[in-house]
Amino acid sequence: MTVKIMKRIGLYIHFPFCKKKCMYCDFPSYENMEYLMPNYLEALKKDIKRWGSLIDGVSVQSIFMGGGTPTLFKSGEIIDVLECCAASWVLEKDIEVSVEANPGTLKPAVLKNIRQAGVNRISIGMQAWQQHHLQYLGRIHNSRDIVESVEWCREAGFDNVNLDVIFGLPRQTAEEWLETLKKVVELDVEHVSTYSLKVEEGTPFSVMLKQGKLPLPSEEVEREMYHQAIAFLKSYGYNHYEISNFAKTGKQCRHNLIYWHNREYIGIGSSAHSYWNRYRFANVADPRLYIQKIQADETPLQFKESISKEDEIFETIMLGLRLIEGVNKKSFFARFGEEIDVLYRDAIDRLKAEGLLAEDQQSIRLTERGLDLQNMVLLSFMS
């Protein structure tokens, strides 16, 4: 009897609606478009079915519902999308199903319903603990909402909860950042994502920065906050497994590991990106246009590009070096038929001499200094 080996992929589903757009956010999400939500939901389900019929021989190891704010939708609507996935794809028995949530939109009944339907991971956008920072960022929740959200997740049966937090905020002190981290640890979540604030073009923060009205910490202080987070979270049993991510044992985000290992995934929804069969492509960003195209049985793609072997090798190194374990040599050879330490011997030796890269028989990986200078490291692999 021949056992068919299925290719494993991830599935990302984008929900582009927000109650209020945050000051720093450049993600493809929109406020005041709730009137589109019913039609968008139908378009999502139709697109999921379309992809399910296009691709054969795959199993889905993770589903990530991101946004925007997926929890603006009713629990029944989230469950409809999940059931549509189950009807259209082969879902693995131990699949990780994540839903992003804003503390200002969560309700106990919603969490109980989606947990019973198979959602087993919640990612909550905490961002900061102090109310003045939350207000400055344009968040719609307060610190009490954060605590209640985690409590409600526990009551609903979730044993895998992530909190997103941001450092390097305007006028944020090291003491405030430590207080935020202490609250995260008190809430005893399984996963923590710590992001440095990036001021992106087109956001209100970028306008304020150009006007000299955004008092950001110095780069030195921002780096101190980063290393403060590493030391503090590790001291409480969180494994630092990716540049910005920490997890208790066995609770690493399996969906994001697909990205960092440069594996294949399909994106559903407006602006969603996919990587499949050495092609990268993205859907149109405007949810109205996405709905129109899906309703008209047209492809919603905005762009599609082929990835050469050379590009794939560089992207695998670029993404793999985000992981604390680095790029595994055996896996690299199995994938490309070439040895990474032969292809890049000069670059590896130079980076090791500069204290930016470490190497052993298993892998190459960034040092503590290399984590701060990742872009400099990657330039050495581009030449």
Side-chain angles (χ1 to χ4, degrees):
M1 178 179 176
T2 302
V3 178
K4 184 178 180 181
I5 299 176
M6 305 187 82
K7 185 185 287 190
R8 307 177 73 208
I9 65 168
L11 193 60
Y12 174 79
I13 304 173
H14 189 63
F15 295 79
F17 307 101
C18 280
K19 193 176 262 188
K20 182 183 177 185
K21 188 84 168 173
C22 296
M23 300 288 281
Y24 57 88
C25 181
D26 74 328
F27 292 159
S29 58
Y30 309 88
E31 59 180 73
N32 300 321
M33 280 196 179
E34 289 91 339
Y35 66 93
L36 286 175
M37 288 169 60
N39 287 339
Y40 185 82
L41 187 71
E42 292 307 310
L44 274 185
K45 292 189 286 187
K46 187 174 181 180
D47 205 7
I48 290 167
K49 293 173 184 175
R50 180 179 71 92
W51 269 110
S53 66
L54 286 174
I55 294 179
D56 191 24
V58 301
S59 65
V60 178
Q61 60 178 310
S62 69
I63 298 174
F64 195 102
M65 299 185 186
T69 311
T71 46
L72 279 182
F73 285 80
K74 297 175 183 176
S75 59
E77 293 171 329
I78 295 172
I79 293 168
D80 276 351
V81 172
L82 189 56
E83 290 178 346
C84 185
C85 291
S88 305
W89 304 77
V90 175
L91 306 187
E92 297 183 3
K93 288 185 178 179
D94 65 341
I95 186 171
E96 176 190 86
V97 183
S98 301
V99 171
E100 284 188 334
N102 187 315
T105 64
L106 277 178
K107 294 180 177 64
V110 171
L111 286 164
K112 288 178 183 177
N113 291 340
I114 64 175
R115 179 67 193 95
Q116 290 172 3
V119 177
N120 51 26
R121 184 176 184 273
I122 295 289
S123 181
I124 299 172
M126 174 180 176
Q127 314 314 1
W129 176 255
Q130 300 80 14
Q131 186 58 36
H132 62 278
H133 285 311
L134 292 173
Q135 189 172 346
Y136 198 85
L137 292 171
R139 304 295 291 172
I140 63 171
H141 66 266
N142 56 41
S143 56
R144 182 60 204 163
D145 293 328
I146 297 165
V147 175
E148 285 185 341
S149 294
V150 176
E151 290 174 349
W152 292 340
C153 285
R154 298 309 189 201
E155 291 168 5
F158 285 95
D159 63 359
N160 196 355
V161 177
N162 169 67
L163 288 176
D164 285 347
V165 286
I166 305 176
F167 61 93
L169 300 176
R171 293 194 179 91
Q172 185 183 39
T173 66
E175 291 75 22
E176 288 176 327
W177 174 232
L178 183 59
E179 182 184 27
T180 293
L181 293 171
K182 285 179 178 178
K183 295 300 180 181
V184 167
V185 168
E186 285 176 17
L187 291 169
D188 197 27
V189 293
E190 288 72 27
H191 192 283
V192 187
S193 298
T194 64
Y195 298 112
S196 173
L197 177 68
K198 297 290 186 246
V199 180
E200 304 289 356
E201 194 65 34
T203 63
F205 269 5
S206 71
V207 176
M208 294 169 66
L209 184 64
K210 291 171 185 175
Q211 294 173 343
K213 297 178 180 178
L214 195 70
L216 297 173
S218 67
E219 185 176 344
E220 182 181 359
V221 169
E222 183 264 353
R223 287 292 87 190
E224 287 175 2
M225 289 179 174
Y226 175 60
H227 290 287
Q228 182 182 26
I230 295 173
F232 184 81
L233 291 171
K234 286 173 75 172
S235 74
Y236 281 90
Y238 289 91
N239 301 311
H240 185 204
Y241 75 100
E242 190 270 346
I243 284 181
S244 301
N245 287 273
F246 303 79
K248 294 184 178 180
T249 302
K251 297 298 185 179
Q252 294 92 338
C253 180
R254 284 190 271 155
H255 185 82
N256 285 342
L257 283 169
I258 294 172
Y259 300 149
W260 296 322
H261 285 130
N262 201 24
R263 297 299 180 183
E264 291 172 308
Y265 55 91
I266 298 299
I268 307 290
S270 61
S271 77
H273 285 64
S274 301
Y275 178 41
W276 172 253
N277 201 23
R278 279 204 170 151
Y279 281 92
R280 289 200 186 277
F281 36 94
N283 291 338
V284 294
D286 188 331
R288 292 163 296 195
L289 185 56
Y290 173 77
I291 292 168
Q292 290 172 13
K293 286 184 173 292
I294 295 297
Q295 287 178 339
D297 293 322
E298 298 175 5
T299 173
L301 293 187
Q302 182 169 315
F303 82 87
K304 180 178 180 180
E305 61 180 357
S306 62
I307 304 297
S308 66
K309 181 180 177 181
E310 292 73 22
D311 288 339
E312 187 180 358
I313 285 174
F314 174 73
E315 289 175 1
T316 300
I317 294 171
M318 175 185 69
L319 294 164
L321 285 178
R322 293 190 60 89
L323 293 166
I324 302 306
E325 68 180 20
V327 180
N328 183 276
K329 292 180 179 181
K330 186 179 292 186
S331 298
F332 186 92
F333 181 79
R335 181 169 183 171
F336 298 109
E338 301 187 66
E339 295 181 0
I340 190 170
D341 46 1
V342 173
L343 274 179
Y344 295 102
R345 186 73 264 160
D346 291 344
I348 291 171
D349 286 344
R350 183 172 67 254
L351 292 166
K352 285 165 60 179
E354 293 172 359
L356 299 173
L357 204 66
E359 180 186 24
D360 56 27
Q361 290 185 333
Q362 283 74 44
S363 67
I364 61 167
R365 57 195 177 276
L366 295 176
T367 62
E368 183 176 323
R369 182 166 176 259
L371 290 174
D372 288 332
L373 299 170
Q374 186 199 23
N375 290 338
M376 183 184 298
V377 173
L378 293 178
L379 287 173
S380 297
F381 289 96
M382 292 179 70
S383 56

